[in-house]
Amino acid sequence: IEGVLVTHATIVTQLKYKDLIYNPHYPQSFVQHLDKNSCAMVLHTCLKHKVQICVTSTLRTSDWVLLELLNQFQLIAPNHNLTKLFHTDWRTGHENDREEEILDHVRRNNVEQYVVVDDRVLTIENFVRIDQCNGFSFRDYLVCEKFVADDPQRIKPELIFM
């Protein structure tokens, strides 16, 4: 989520001069620094292609993250029912490295197709690297869409990991 939805740009522009600390483990700080455009692009990708989100961020260990993200997405799309936006198993484990956790989740949930968006460098298939300064951009949306667009030759992806 950090680097994808919480960007360096939003952290810098949202910081108050008297409070120069961004702490992602506090809901108010996290929500304050979400990039609304990045959130809208991810939401559009999910709604357009019926893809669900699975959280792989270090914030996946915080139970409040799911509720806060859902609230923010609902503000962007108030007329949409977003109850199925997140996968029922909405976060990966946190025992291994990121790639292994994603592959464990894929195996555990019998996921056939997926796309991974992250600001880290990963060597996993279907990967879209996000610029942590600007978050999930229109360019990233277009790259990601190649993995999630309807194609009769390919099984439709089920999850977007971020």
Side-chain angles (χ1 to χ4, degrees):
I1 295 171
E2 291 181 294
V4 177
L5 299 180
V6 176
T7 69
H8 289 191
T10 55
I11 291 171
V12 169
T13 58
Q14 297 295 325
L15 286 177
K16 298 175 187 163
Y17 292 110
K18 61 182 179 181
D19 179 16
L20 294 176
I21 298 172
Y22 164 64
N23 189 334
H25 297 286
Y26 291 104
Q28 184 178 7
S29 180
F30 170 75
V31 170
Q32 177 183 353
H33 295 92
L34 280 170
D35 182 90
K36 306 303 186 237
N37 290 326
S38 295
C39 289
M41 294 304 299
V42 167
L43 180 60
H44 179 72
T45 303
C46 292
L47 293 176
K48 181 177 179 182
H49 299 289
K50 297 177 180 70
V51 178
Q52 293 180 304
I53 296 172
C54 180
V55 177
T56 61
S57 164
T58 53
L59 294 176
R60 70 192 175 283
T61 60
S62 302
D63 291 330
W64 55 263
V65 167
L66 177 64
L67 181 60
E68 292 297 341
L69 284 175
L70 193 53
N71 287 340
Q72 291 304 305
F73 286 133
Q74 197 67 66
L75 290 173
I76 295 168
N79 298 325
H80 285 80
N81 180 355
L82 302 180
T83 56
K84 295 185 178 182
L85 181 61
F86 288 85
H87 190 264
T88 52
D89 187 4
W90 67 274
R91 58 186 165 191
T92 60
H94 55 277
E95 301 80 31
N96 301 309
D97 69 3
R98 177 96 27 118
E99 292 158 333
E100 189 55 40
E101 290 169 359
I102 291 169
L103 294 175
D104 286 344
H105 192 280
V106 165
R107 284 188 291 267
R108 188 173 66 249
N109 290 283
N110 297 314
V111 175
E112 295 185 34
Q113 289 286 351
Y114 57 91
V115 61
V116 178
V117 295
D118 205 315
D119 62 326
R120 293 182 179 190
V121 176
L122 300 177
T123 57
I124 194 166
E125 65 181 357
N126 303 341
F127 175 63
V128 179
R129 177 135 190 242
I130 308 300
D131 173 11
Q132 62 191 359
C133 293
N134 299 310
F136 194 89
S137 67
F138 184 69
R139 180 194 64 78
D140 300 321
Y141 163 76
L142 293 176
V143 174
C144 194
E145 196 168 50
K146 292 177 184 177
F147 294 112
V148 296
D150 289 328
D151 180 346
Q153 302 299 323
R154 188 173 41 197
I155 299 170
K156 189 163 185 67
E158 303 170 54
L159 290 178
I160 181 170
F161 289 94
M162 62 179 192

